[in-house]
Amino acid sequence: MRTRFAPDRGLTSRMVVTMFLLGLLYVVFVGALVALGVRALTVLLIAGGLLLAQYFLSDRIALYGMGGREVSPREAPELHGLIDRLCAMADMPKPRVAIADSDVPNAFATGRDQKHAVVCVTTGILRRLDTRELEGVLAHELSHVAHRDVAVMTIASFLGLVAGLMTRFALYSGLGARRSDGQGGLPVGLIVMVVSVVVYAVSFLLTRALSRYRELSADRAGALLTQRPSELASALVKISGDMARIPTRDLREAAPFNAFYFAPAAAPGATLANLFSTHPPLDRRLRQLSEISAQLGRG
């Protein structure tokens, strides 16, 4: 379903390449397990069931985890009005609208497609941003729905889930077991655990790289739709600055949803963890928005 959001071939190609590489890695992973004689069918079936649940129920799971609830136009007329306007501009179906009672200033979109999507904002972001800044954030989130990168990220997390389950399976059931041919060597469980850790690390890096690019893509698409990149930049600066004032405990509770958030729930600062962040550095996002402002000005 096409929309008026600016298409991003770079994002599309990265999603295809990431899914191909993860699929190839998954085949190699299963082949290695079979070669080792591991009875991993049960674990794989469980992981597959979790993938289906995560894919089809991702919107409900995310809302539940964030403590969000759907709101009607009567309960939140201004928020609904902004989303109505943006959806009309983008020529896309209106998603469900939700609010999470949290002081962490953030927003996220989730759902497997445009017809099963939800956009959620926190009470913290509603208090801090003015109407135009909030419109920029909502345009950013709607672009995730239009580009379907939320669904791709949900699927891409499957291999990491399988590898994590296999690591636990090896730890709790077969760490001490030797090869069945009686030739000794390393325990099968230890080999499975090492292979699983390597697979998890590779899938983690691939999904993180895609996640960082998709945030830049959403910034670009949202800014071009509203034609006001400066308002989105202002929202980014406000939210990133206020993260340092949020209690560490609240940030920790919100951190598991960072891959879906508009901005990571973490205090700003250059650390080693930024190398594995779900989002690009703030200065990179602001620089891109500044470039878009210059292009629009020349136009």
Side-chain angles (χ1 to χ4, degrees):
M1 189 178 295
R2 293 187 177 182
T3 70
R4 293 198 185 102
F5 275 106
D8 192 322
R9 293 179 182 175
L11 176 63
T12 301
S13 62
R14 280 169 171 80
M15 290 193 294
V16 171
V17 170
T18 299
M19 293 301 294
F20 173 78
L21 291 176
L22 287 173
L24 181 62
L25 189 61
Y26 177 67
V27 171
V28 172
F29 180 52
V30 172
L33 294 178
V34 172
L36 289 169
V38 176
R39 295 180 181 177
L41 181 60
T42 301
V43 175
L44 294 176
L45 287 175
I46 292 173
L50 290 174
L51 169 67
L52 291 175
Q54 186 178 7
Y55 180 71
F56 287 104
L57 303 175
S58 59
D59 50 348
R60 298 181 185 180
I61 293 172
L63 279 182
Y64 176 79
M66 267 295 297
R69 66 178 184 88
E70 289 185 45
V71 293
S72 66
R74 180 176 295 179
E75 293 175 287
E78 292 184 10
L79 180 59
H80 271 272
L82 284 174
I83 293 180
D84 282 332
R85 178 174 179 273
L86 289 169
C87 288
M89 291 169 61
D91 191 22
M92 65 182 290
K94 181 182 178 181
R96 304 195 310 280
V97 181
I99 294 178
D101 186 13
S102 171
D103 192 44
V104 178
N106 237 313
F108 68 87
T110 186
R112 63 184 185 273
D113 55 39
Q114 293 183 32
K115 294 182 179 179
H116 301 87
V118 59
V119 172
C120 180
V121 297
T122 65
T123 52
I125 202 172
L126 292 175
R127 284 196 299 269
R128 289 171 171 85
L129 302 187
D130 63 31
T131 301
R132 287 193 171 186
E133 291 168 341
L134 182 60
E135 182 182 60
V137 172
L138 293 173
H140 169 108
E141 295 303 330
L142 288 172
S143 77
H144 282 314
V145 176
H147 290 152
R148 297 200 66 179
D149 52 78
V150 172
V152 171
M153 285 296 293
T154 299
I155 297 171
S157 66
F158 171 59
L159 185 58
L161 175 66
V162 172
L165 287 174
M166 286 305 303
T167 301
R168 292 186 179 89
F169 176 75
L171 282 171
Y172 293 113
S173 66
L175 193 57
R178 297 283 173 177
R179 291 183 179 274
S180 58
D181 57 13
Q183 295 180 1
L186 291 174
V188 172
L190 181 59
I191 299 174
V192 171
M193 185 176 71
V194 172
V195 171
S196 299
V197 169
V198 171
V199 169
Y200 178 80
V202 174
S203 64
F204 178 87
L205 293 175
L206 286 173
T207 53
R208 284 299 187 273
L210 175 60
S211 180
R212 287 192 292 272
Y213 184 87
R214 82 185 189 102
E215 292 302 328
L216 288 173
S217 175
D219 283 347
R220 181 167 52 252
L224 290 173
L225 182 71
T226 63
Q227 296 287 293
R228 287 195 291 265
S230 61
E231 299 296 343
L232 182 56
S234 176
L236 273 169
V237 171
K238 276 188 182 179
I239 291 171
S240 299
D242 282 352
M243 284 295 179
R245 302 183 181 92
I246 303 298
T248 304
R249 183 177 126 191
D250 293 344
L251 291 177
R252 241 185 245 125
E253 290 177 354
F257 298 93
N258 273 348
F260 296 96
Y261 276 144
F262 170 69
T271 66
L272 183 62
N274 288 343
L275 295 175
F276 310 109
S277 175
T278 54
H279 291 64
L282 175 62
D283 60 349
R284 175 69 184 88
R285 298 176 75 175
L286 294 177
R287 185 165 66 250
Q288 176 182 250
L289 291 171
S290 177
E291 292 169 358
I292 294 173
S293 289
Q295 293 169 5
L296 293 176
R298 285 198 297 271

